[in-house]
Amino acid sequence: MSASAAEASEYHSKDFKWDTLRQEIENDPSLNYHFLPFVSPQPEQQLSKDPIKAWQSFHIQHSSGKFFKERRYLLKEFPELVSCGDGCKVLEVGCGNGSSALPILRRAKEFVAASNVASVENRFWPFYCDFATTGFPKWLAYANCRENLGQKDQICVSDVGEERTLETGSWSMEERSCCVGGVDFVTLIFTLSAVPLQIMPTALRECFSVLKPGGMLLFRDYGLYDMTMLRFEPDQRVGFREYMRSDGTRSYFFCLDTVKNLFNCAGFIELEIEYCCVTSVNRRNGKSMQRVWVHGKFQKPT
């Protein structure tokens, strides 16, 4: 996709007012069960589906790449990804089928072609990692954070290997002058909502640890009263604002205060946070859908 095509793709965030939607939803008796206190089940009553295996099965089932569309709005929502300088490192957490990484790589490829620098393929290193429970691999952490991470068990299956990522011969002098580890940006796009609420703080601390001072985390995820939340049945609740689909995958729906508290406790500075309220139309049946997402930008202190 060319830069001109990317610029032509529209980006909406204020199609309706969130407070108006909130009043409509909370005044609908048929939806009251979404707001009732949630009583945690006894251990023997808890759902037994493994969330990790559930997501693995989900992505195997949708491995063709047709299920998810490329997030072409991403560079408009986060222009910092376009304006960052040479040697900038971006960590996409929970990349799935690449619907977020691909638009960034397409833009990078255009930049590479125009500037005649090293091939973009040599700058893209995918790897497997359960960042919410076992943490990121040690080589990814910012240098000043490594001493704190040294005693942690790092279980990470990577298709590039730790030893390869530590080879800095192909990096520019500017890259080698900074820390070996550490990234300038972390993108967390529809990933945190798939993590059980009780381990979200650990997941965010991991993201904080791999950012360089002054680095930014770019966040987008499901917001409270999103259409998909309202479709869940009462027996699919596994927590307050937390649901499990029939395939075992989870989804949490964030309010702004929850996001603020999570990121502040992890050490981040809040730069931007708001609801994105978008009206989309199903092309097949013509029905209008009110989507709600949370947009946020957070920074690691310098």
Side-chain angles (χ1 to χ4, degrees):
M1 181 181 180
S2 66
S4 58
E7 291 171 359
S9 62
E10 295 186 32
Y11 169 65
H12 302 282
S13 63
K14 298 295 180 184
D15 291 343
F16 57 89
K17 292 183 178 180
W18 183 82
D19 286 330
T20 301
L21 176 65
R22 176 184 179 179
Q23 291 178 356
E24 293 175 0
I25 301 304
E26 293 185 354
N27 289 330
D28 186 340
S30 67
L31 300 174
N32 283 348
Y33 64 89
H34 289 288
F35 318 115
L36 297 175
F38 183 81
V39 179
S40 299
Q42 297 298 318
E44 63 273 11
Q45 296 175 313
Q46 290 181 352
L47 296 172
S48 59
K49 291 185 178 179
D50 185 334
I52 296 177
K53 291 182 178 179
W55 280 112
Q56 288 174 340
S57 299
F58 174 87
H59 285 294
I60 291 172
Q61 181 181 355
H62 300 291
S63 59
S64 66
K66 296 180 179 179
F67 185 80
F68 292 107
K69 297 180 180 179
E70 278 190 38
R71 298 184 172 115
R72 297 176 180 174
Y73 59 82
L74 199 64
L75 299 181
K76 281 197 169 187
E77 183 176 9
F78 302 119
E80 295 86 355
L81 295 172
V82 179
S83 60
C84 60
D86 294 347
C88 178
K89 298 185 182 72
V90 180
L91 172 64
E92 162 68 6
V93 180
C95 62
N97 74 326
S99 56
S100 294
L102 283 174
I104 300 174
L105 288 171
R106 291 188 195 282
R107 181 70 179 201
K109 191 172 184 178
E110 292 172 7
F111 171 79
V112 167
S115 60
N116 196 31
V117 297
S119 172
V120 67
E121 285 79 8
N122 296 330
R123 302 173 64 87
F124 178 55
W125 298 331
F127 61 92
Y128 298 105
C129 182
D130 182 7
F131 81 113
T133 56
T134 58
F136 290 116
K138 296 176 183 178
W139 53 260
L140 193 58
Y142 176 65
N144 287 353
C145 301
R146 287 184 179 172
E147 187 173 318
N148 296 330
L149 295 174
Q151 302 302 319
K152 291 185 62 177
D153 292 331
Q154 299 288 337
I155 303 173
C156 175
V157 180
S158 172
D159 54 4
V160 296
E162 290 193 10
E163 68 282 355
R164 175 182 169 185
T165 57
L166 288 172
E167 293 176 358
T168 60
S170 61
W171 292 1
S172 66
M173 289 298 295
E174 181 180 352
E175 288 179 301
R176 278 180 277 179
S177 66
C178 66
C179 58
V180 174
V183 297
D184 301 276
F185 294 98
V186 170
T187 59
L188 200 59
I189 313 295
F190 296 105
T191 297
L192 193 62
S193 58
V195 175
L197 179 62
Q198 65 270 24
I199 60 176
M200 286 185 189
T202 301
L204 288 178
R205 285 195 295 271
E206 285 295 320
C207 293
F208 185 89
S209 73
V210 299
L211 273 171
K212 299 175 185 176
M216 291 177 60
L217 186 148
L218 309 176
F219 177 80
R220 185 179 176 98
D221 219 320
Y222 295 111
L224 190 59
Y225 308 127
D226 178 56
M227 173 201 69
T228 57
M229 170 184 170
L230 305 178
R231 287 181 172 178
F232 282 107
E233 297 296 332
D235 60 357
Q236 292 180 289
R237 296 180 74 204
V238 293
F240 188 61
R241 300 174 183 166
E242 191 173 13
Y243 303 82
M244 181 175 287
R245 303 177 184 88
S246 58
D247 62 4
T249 59
R250 289 172 175 258
S251 188
Y252 183 87
F253 294 83
F254 295 95
C255 69
L256 298 187
D257 285 342
T258 297
V259 176
K260 290 179 180 180
N261 290 337
L262 283 169
F263 279 88
N264 288 341
C265 290
F268 286 96
I269 298 171
E270 174 193 324
L271 300 180
E272 291 182 14
I273 186 169
E274 63 179 356
Y275 287 116
C276 292
C277 300
V278 178
T279 300
S280 60
V281 178
N282 188 312
R283 294 181 180 179
R284 294 183 179 179
N285 55 30
K287 289 186 177 181
S288 178
M289 301 175 288
Q290 291 180 304
R291 306 305 310 273
V292 178
W293 301 297
V294 175
H295 158 97
K297 297 180 184 179
F298 304 89
Q299 188 173 42
K300 183 173 185 174
T302 56

